[in-house]
């Protein structure tokens, strides 16, 4: 047996190490690094990826088993993507199975093949007698034969049977008898015209770049020409025309024969950006694949194949699009790079933005991060010259950045009939805009009607039976809901605890804002957008399109609509409560608040008329709010970085969060503490360890949770040490422990 007919395979589940298998002669030619195969493992059939042709190891002869089958003709992973997979598994401490499942779309893993279409025609060799006989006996089958006799070429089987209302089995009978011939042909793929593409009628004319934009594009083109791994941050204020800069950079890369991946936090929330990319490149004859969660398996397969074969060179999508098998990748763009949505919250817990940077390194290309409010990590990387920076400091056409009015809700009188939610000041502004026929947007980052039900007598708060969270009141359905586990129950009228007859609502959600605004402006057209109203797939796009056409006066929504949208007729934006994001137990609370204020105000004054922003708060003097009001990025950065440095938070250290959970609270606590003692004894000198402590959400879906933090200089250096100890530590099976690397959500 020759050396070449052995391959190494990483199986999805099983071992982290590659295993050697023999390849039957006939299959050898179709195997490459990255091919998906089925192999025998512990008496079962397992799916795996070929990680190497041949092997470096000495293998005892006769011990090896043959692989069972090669799943796809085209390897599922390119060599680069295989390297990326290995890194992902290591860095995010994720199993090969979870990594491969994240990277390879389901229809590919399942061995889906080209769409084929069956064609039918009269068998020219069939006896005329047999046909004549049949026509007499079976009228339905006769219809089909008569119809086929008229056709000059083979015709599609399914469509024909459908239109003639003939069952497939009668047709198959005729095929068996040899009267009809069946053939197949590969179907035309229309991957880039999926279900989402139709509704996005958007402007597609390029703008003449202004001076700042032109300078940014110039800088990017130089970086692209260096054909080396680079990261650049496009820091452009809201409305400064970042998209136009992205489009120019993309055009340049495509002209040079390269491919592009464009990441957005969520495809459904970026219809304008996606539409602009699609329409702009369509005219140039470029095919754009939009990678989103609503693709059918067939569409997903076709899209993947179109990309894999170099037919479509642009992929736009949310974080998983970073794994698109673009052959000659020359540019990765991450729009709204600061967004926590790029982080996947279950295994593999990767951050799409960070994977983008790593993949650019593997592909030796440019990674372009863009935002009006970049993350502190990226700004820090700019300050230490690791990243290049390009700035857009002015809005296009010199439009004004709107002024932020801070309304101190401790002093300002609330408007009557608004449950104290809306200040007189904001109500008056809303009225004026309505009279002027201009549009307004109101934000509150909390859905539902009211955030909790509390008894004024005994202080009892209605909370979830499965999570340590208060239940949110939803007025329309008269129910209390848990926004984490979806538990719901009928809302009580009196206190279930002390039987006091009247329980009180506390804290407001978007539903209550909607009610309050209706009381202020009974004649305005008001629409609310949040996770509760967005149950129908296309509703979001419909509402935005109605809003654009002026059919809606006031749009109320959660943070869901705070970013990226561009409506020229919006002249007033209100933030109902700026304090919500300040009081979360997250070291990024200030950063989040600053970003929210800047992004929210960025929605106003994008047309010819100047915009106004009203921010209601109980803490007008808190630094992030003050810095945002003055648009003082540098000031905020300086103060926040000093704080992060003092407490060793990112960007100065990487965080690893070790989560312990289980149904038995005592056990979870016990093992968290035992482990913490152990790791402190062994690694306490080398890494800073904090905890263990109950997680901010102590209980989720009946699981009790504890966490422990490691503050490390380098994940690559320190993680293996932690893992080495974890492997040997006698954890109880009832306590699940997971590592979250560079966590974004610390609840
Ligand atoms: P950002 O993403 O930076 O907030 P956009 O890219 O959405 O900004 O651009 C804001 C608006 O300005 C869009 O309607 C866009 O078409 C328009 N625009 C972009 N560049 C120019 C330009 N050079 N001249 C005129 N209008 C422009
Ligand atoms: Zn719950």
């Amino acid at each position: 047996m020759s050396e070449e007919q052995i391959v190494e395979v990483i199986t999805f589940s099983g071992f982290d190490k590659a295993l050697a298998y023999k390849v039957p002669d006939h299959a050898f030619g179709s195997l490459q690094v990255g091919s998906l195969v089925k192999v025998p493992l512990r008496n079962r059939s397992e799916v795996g990826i070929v990680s190497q042709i041949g092997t470096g190891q000495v293998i005892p002869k006769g011990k090896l088993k043959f692989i069972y089958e090669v799943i796809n003709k085209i390897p599922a992973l390119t060599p680069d993507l295989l390297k990326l997979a290995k890194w992902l598994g290591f860095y995010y401490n994720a199993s090969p199975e979870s990594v491969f499942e994240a990277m390879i779309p389901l229809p590919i893993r399942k061995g889906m093949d080209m769409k084929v279409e069956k064609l039918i025609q009269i068998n020219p060799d069939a006896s005329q007698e047999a046909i004549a006989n049949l026509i007499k006996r079976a009228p339905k089958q006769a219809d089909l034969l008569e119809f086929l006799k008229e056709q000059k070429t083979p015709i599609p089987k399914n469509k024909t049977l459908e239109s003639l209302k003939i069952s497939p089995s009668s047709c198959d009978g005729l095929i068996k008898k040899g009267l009809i011939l069946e053939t197949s042909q590969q179907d035309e793929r229309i991957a880039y015209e999926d279900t989402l593409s139709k509704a996005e009628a958007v402007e597609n004319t390029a703008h003449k770049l202004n001076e700042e934009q032109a300078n940014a594009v110039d800088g990017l083109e130089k970086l692209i020409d260096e054909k080396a791994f680079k990261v650049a941050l496009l820091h452009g204020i809201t409305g400064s025309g970042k998209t136009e800069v992205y489009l120019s950079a993309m055009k340049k890369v495509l002209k040079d024969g390269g491919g592009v991946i464009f990441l957005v936090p969520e495809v459904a929330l970026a219809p304008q950006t996606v539409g602009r990319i699609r329409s702009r490149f369509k005219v140039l004859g470029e095919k754009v694949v939009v990678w989103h969660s609503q693709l059918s398996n067939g569409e997903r397969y076709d899209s993947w194949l179109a990309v894999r074969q170099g037919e479509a060179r642009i992929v736009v999508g949310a974080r998983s699009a970073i794994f698109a098998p673009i052959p000659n990748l020359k540019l990765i763009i991450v729009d709204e790079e600061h967004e926590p949505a790029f982080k996947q919250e279950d295994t593999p817990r990767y951050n799409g933005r960070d994977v983008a940077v790593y993949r650019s390194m593997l592909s030796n290309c440019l990674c372009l991060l863009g935002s009006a409010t970049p993350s502190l990590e990226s700004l820090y990387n700019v300050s230490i010259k690791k990243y290049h920076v390009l700035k857009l400091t002015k809005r296009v056409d010199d439009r004004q950045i709107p002024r932020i009015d801070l309304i101190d809700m401790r002093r300002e009188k609330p408007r009557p009939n608004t449950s104290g939610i809306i200040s007189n000041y904001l109500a008056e502004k809303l009225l004026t805009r309505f009279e002027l026929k201009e549009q307004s947007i109101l934000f509150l980052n909390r859905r539902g009607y009211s955030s909790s039900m509390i008894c004024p007598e005994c202080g009892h708060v209605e909370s979830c039976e499965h999570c340590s969270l208060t239940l949110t009141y939803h007025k329309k359905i008269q129910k209390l809901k848990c926004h984490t586990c979806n538990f719901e129950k009928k809302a009580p009228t009196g206190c279930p605890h002390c039987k006091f007859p009247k329980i009180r609502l506390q804290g407001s959600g978007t539903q209550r804002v909607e009610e309050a605004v209706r009381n202020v402006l009974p004649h305005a057209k008001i629409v609310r957008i949040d996770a509760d109203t967005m149950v129908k797939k296309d509703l979001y796009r419909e509402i935005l399109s109605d809003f654009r056409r002026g059919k809606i006066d006031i749009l109320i929504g959660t943070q869901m609509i705070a970013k990226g949208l561009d409506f020229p007729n919006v002249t007033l934006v209100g933030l109902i409560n700026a304090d919500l994001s300040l009081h979360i137990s997250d070291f990024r609370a200030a950063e989040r608040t600053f970003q929210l204020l800047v992004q929210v105000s960025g929605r106003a004054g994008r047309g010819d008329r100047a915009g106004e922003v009203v921010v209601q708060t109980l803490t007008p003097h808190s630094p992030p709010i003050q810095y945002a009001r003055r648009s003082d990025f540098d000031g905020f950065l300086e103060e926040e970085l000093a704080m992060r440095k003092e407490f060793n938070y990112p960007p100065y250290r990487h965080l690893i969060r070790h989560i312990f959970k289980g149904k038995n609270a005592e056990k979870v606590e016990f093992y968290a503490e035992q482990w913490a003692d152990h790791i402190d004894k062994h690694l306490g000198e080398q890494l800073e360890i904090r905890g263990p402590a109950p997680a901010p959400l102590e209980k989720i879906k009946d699981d009790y949770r504890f966490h422990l933090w490691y503050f490390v200089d380098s994940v690559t250096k320190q993680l293996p040490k932690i893992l080495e100890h974890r492997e040997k530590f006698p954890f109880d099976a009832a306590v699940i422990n997971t590592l979250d690397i560079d966590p974004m959500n610390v609840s």
Side-chain angles (χ1 to χ4, degrees):
M1 191 173 59
S2 70
E3 167 79 353
E4 285 79 47
Q5 272 155 304
I6 297 173
V7 293
E8 290 198 352
V9 175
I10 304 175
T11 53
F12 276 33
S13 59
F15 305 100
D16 287 354
K17 267 205 241 87
L19 303 169
Y21 287 91
K22 283 190 292 191
V23 185
D25 282 345
H26 65 87
F28 191 72
S30 53
L31 272 188
Q32 292 172 41
V33 168
S35 290
L36 265 181
V37 289
K38 278 198 184 138
V39 294
L41 183 71
R42 296 197 203 96
N43 300 321
R44 278 181 302 130
S45 166
E46 267 296 338
V47 180
I49 291 270
V50 173
S51 60
Q52 197 177 315
I53 305 276
T55 177
Q57 301 159 250
V58 183
I59 312 261
K61 277 205 173 109
K63 283 269 160 134
L64 291 185
K65 292 182 180 150
F66 278 110
I67 66 166
Y68 285 147
E69 90 179 86
V70 183
I71 296 178
N72 320 79
K73 283 184 220 107
I74 304 165
L77 293 180
T78 57
D80 263 12
L81 284 174
L82 187 62
K83 273 189 211 147
L84 189 66
K86 287 179 183 168
W87 176 77
L88 212 70
F90 162 72
Y91 190 89
Y92 291 105
N93 188 234
S95 66
E97 183 172 25
S98 69
V99 170
F100 289 142
E101 283 183 5
M103 294 182 74
I104 308 168
L106 180 79
I108 311 298
R109 275 183 274 134
K110 295 279 176 235
M112 190 174 196
D113 226 320
M114 309 265 189
K115 240 196 279 174
V116 283
E117 180 156 58
K118 297 234 164 76
L119 304 176
I120 46 175
Q121 69 188 105
I122 283 276
N123 184 350
D125 301 332
S127 86
Q128 290 306 311
E129 204 188 318
I131 294 181
N133 261 343
L134 217 133
I135 289 180
K136 268 182 238 148
R137 276 192 297 116
K140 267 280 164 194
Q141 295 188 329
D143 282 354
L144 178 59
L145 287 171
E146 297 277 14
F147 184 78
L148 289 180
K149 271 166 122 181
E150 307 287 304
Q151 312 299 320
K152 295 195 176 58
T153 53
I155 54 170
K157 179 181 175 184
N158 288 345
K159 270 189 213 137
T160 309
L161 296 185
E162 233 169 74
S163 66
L164 296 177
K165 300 202 168 54
I166 293 173
S167 75
S169 61
S170 343
C171 177
D172 291 345
L174 294 173
I175 295 170
K176 269 211 192 102
K177 287 201 180 93
L179 299 180
I180 291 180
L181 275 186
E182 188 183 58
T183 49
S184 338
Q185 86 167 5
Q186 224 172 303
D187 205 4
E188 274 293 297
R189 285 193 316 271
I190 42 166
Y192 14 86
E193 280 174 19
D194 63 84
T195 40
L196 262 185
S197 66
K198 286 148 210 151
E200 290 150 8
V202 279
E203 48 133 319
N204 61 9
T205 41
H207 294 280
K208 189 177 166 345
L209 299 180
N210 63 30
E211 198 183 328
E212 279 192 334
Q213 285 172 316
N215 284 340
V217 171
D218 245 25
L220 291 173
E221 291 191 337
K222 286 204 185 86
L223 290 174
I224 291 166
D225 279 334
E226 288 182 33
K227 302 200 189 318
F229 166 54
K230 303 271 163 176
V231 186
L233 176 69
L234 178 63
H235 186 178
I237 64 166
T238 56
S240 58
K242 290 183 287 296
T243 312
E244 210 60 50
V245 174
Y246 299 145
L247 291 169
S248 299
M250 289 167 80
K251 226 167 127 179
K252 150 98 178 153
V253 163
L254 292 161
K255 208 178 82 207
D256 297 349
V260 182
I261 295 176
F262 192 115
L263 297 188
V264 292
E266 200 180 321
V267 172
L269 296 184
Q272 294 182 332
T273 308
V274 175
R276 271 158 83 185
I277 297 172
R278 236 207 255 264
S279 57
R280 188 71 61 83
F281 287 103
K282 198 169 177 179
V283 248
L284 299 176
E286 280 297 336
K287 284 154 189 168
V288 178
V289 158
V290 180
W291 195 252
H292 57 86
S293 58
Q294 289 167 30
L295 291 182
S296 67
N297 273 344
E299 285 172 332
R300 202 171 286 283
Y301 175 82
D302 290 349
S303 305
W304 184 87
L305 199 66
V307 172
R308 184 73 174 82
Q309 300 188 317
E311 211 180 298
R313 297 191 293 163
I314 305 171
V315 174
V316 184
R319 58 174 178 258
S320 68
I322 194 55
F323 304 124
I326 291 258
N328 185 22
L329 185 60
K330 287 289 171 245
L331 175 64
I332 303 177
I333 296 172
V334 185
D335 192 21
E336 310 283 1
E337 66 89 28
H338 63 283
E339 262 297 300
F342 283 119
K343 181 88 188 313
Q344 176 153 302
E345 290 298 344
D346 41 43
T347 337
R349 295 163 172 264
Y350 67 96
N351 186 319
R353 177 202 53 203
D354 299 341
V355 178
V357 172
Y358 195 84
R359 187 165 178 196
S360 298
M361 191 190 81
L362 291 177
S363 299
N364 251 325
C365 75
L366 175 65
C367 184
L368 174 57
L369 312 176
S371 175
T373 52
S375 62
L376 251 66
E377 284 85 346
S378 296
L379 289 170
Y380 175 73
N381 281 328
V382 166
S383 78
I384 60 170
K385 305 263 186 307
K386 213 165 133 184
Y387 290 0
H388 298 260
V389 68
L390 305 139
K391 288 192 181 174
L392 304 178
T393 60
K394 295 192 210 75
R395 282 194 158 180
V396 292
D397 292 345
D398 288 323
R399 285 168 206 157
Q400 289 302 303
I401 275 281
R403 193 167 52 99
I404 296 183
D405 275 334
L406 285 180
I407 305 304
D408 185 344
M409 292 301 273
R410 296 168 306 184
R411 299 214 178 83
E412 178 70 24
K413 274 206 192 66
R415 186 77 167 188
N417 293 323
T418 64
S419 322
I421 304 172
I422 294 177
S423 58
N424 235 335
Y425 186 84
L426 178 56
E428 287 300 325
K429 296 259 175 204
L430 283 169
L431 282 163
T432 314
R433 299 297 139 158
F434 181 60
E435 276 157 26
L436 291 171
K437 295 203 169 16
E438 294 176 3
Q439 293 172 301
S440 308
I441 307 183
L442 295 177
F443 292 100
L444 178 64
N445 203 22
R446 186 193 270 155
R447 65 197 170 93
Y449 185 81
S450 115
S451 57
S452 58
M453 264 193 164
I454 182 168
C455 171
E457 194 61 23
C458 73
H460 165 84
V461 176
E462 283 283 273
S463 49
C464 178
E465 287 174 15
H466 311 284
C467 312
S468 52
L469 276 170
T470 58
L471 292 169
T472 305
Y473 178 56
H474 289 246
K475 192 176 187 188
K476 213 164 168 187
I477 50 173
Q478 292 285 315
K479 275 184 175 159
L480 291 170
K481 273 194 189 180
C482 172
H483 286 174
T484 296
C485 75
N486 284 331
F487 167 81
E488 54 175 55
K489 69 175 196 185
K490 206 170 157 291
T493 46
C495 175
H497 189 67
C498 74
K499 310 294 174 216
F500 186 73
K502 228 174 145 31
I503 195 158
R504 208 173 59 206
L505 296 171
Q506 188 176 274
S508 311
T510 43
Q511 290 177 15
R512 205 172 192 177
V513 174
E514 183 183 355
E515 187 180 274
V517 176
R518 284 189 197 286
N519 289 340
V520 176
L521 286 148
H523 302 296
K525 176 95 172 86
I526 299 163
V527 175
R528 173 168 60 90
I529 290 194
D530 55 33
D532 295 312
T533 62
M534 285 306 104
V535 278
K536 236 184 73 200
K537 270 191 204 164
D538 288 333
L539 204 57
Y540 183 68
R541 240 180 1 225
E542 277 167 33
I543 291 177
L544 293 189
S545 140
D546 281 355
F547 192 54
R548 174 176 310 283
R549 282 179 292 159
K551 288 193 190 168
I552 297 169
D553 301 307
I554 301 172
L555 196 61
I556 298 172
T558 48
Q559 192 158 314
M560 207 171 141
I561 56 169
K563 284 149 301 207
L565 298 176
D566 184 26
F567 298 108
N569 197 34
V570 172
T571 51
L572 174 65
V573 165
L575 183 59
I576 300 296
N577 182 351
D579 308 330
L580 283 181
S581 56
L582 263 184
H583 301 311
I584 48 172
S585 52
D586 185 331
F587 69 90
R588 289 193 179 91
E591 183 181 354
R592 293 275 172 268
T593 306
F594 179 81
Q595 288 167 341
L596 177 66
L597 256 69
V598 173
Q599 291 287 352
V600 158
S601 34
R603 298 314 115 214
R606 295 172 75 103
D608 307 331
R609 279 156 293 188
E612 265 185 296
V613 180
V614 175
V615 171
Q616 302 189 151
T617 168
L618 292 170
T619 52
H621 298 295
S622 75
I625 292 179
Q626 282 297 326
Y627 284 119
R629 188 179 68 86
R630 296 195 298 266
S631 291
D632 183 359
F633 284 84
D634 295 336
F636 176 71
L637 185 68
E638 194 179 321
E639 178 167 334
E640 189 61 15
L641 280 181
M643 191 284 282
R644 300 279 182 93
K645 187 159 194 179
E646 188 178 339
F647 295 100
N648 274 342
Y649 277 122
Y652 297 97
R653 290 283 189 284
H654 284 272
L655 295 187
I656 299 177
R657 184 185 185 212
H658 200 162
I659 305 160
F660 304 82
K661 63 174 191 184
K663 305 277 179 251
N664 181 326
E666 284 83 42
K667 256 192 194 171
V668 175
E669 180 169 12
F670 176 79
Y671 279 96
E673 274 171 0
Q674 292 296 306
W675 163 261
D677 281 349
H678 174 88
I679 203 74
D680 191 43
K681 206 164 84 208
H682 289 91
L683 297 177
E685 306 270 287
Q686 302 171 48
L687 27 130
E688 188 185 341
I689 302 169
R690 287 188 212 167
L697 278 176
E698 285 179 43
K699 190 170 118 187
I700 296 184
K701 297 181 192 167
D702 293 317
D703 275 329
Y704 291 89
R705 307 161 77 240
F706 267 73
H707 65 184
L708 184 70
W709 295 88
Y710 314 109
F711 290 63
V712 301
D713 50 345
S714 149
V715 172
T716 314
K717 257 198 288 175
Q718 307 294 355
L719 181 61
K721 297 182 192 166
I722 298 170
L723 295 179
E724 198 187 312
H725 284 278
R726 191 175 69 160
E727 229 159 75
K728 289 182 239 139
F729 191 82
F731 275 111
D732 188 288
V735 179
I736 296 169
N737 76 92
T738 35
L739 293 163
D740 188 357
I741 315 296
D742 300 328
M744 290 302 264
N745 176 353
V746 302
S747 60

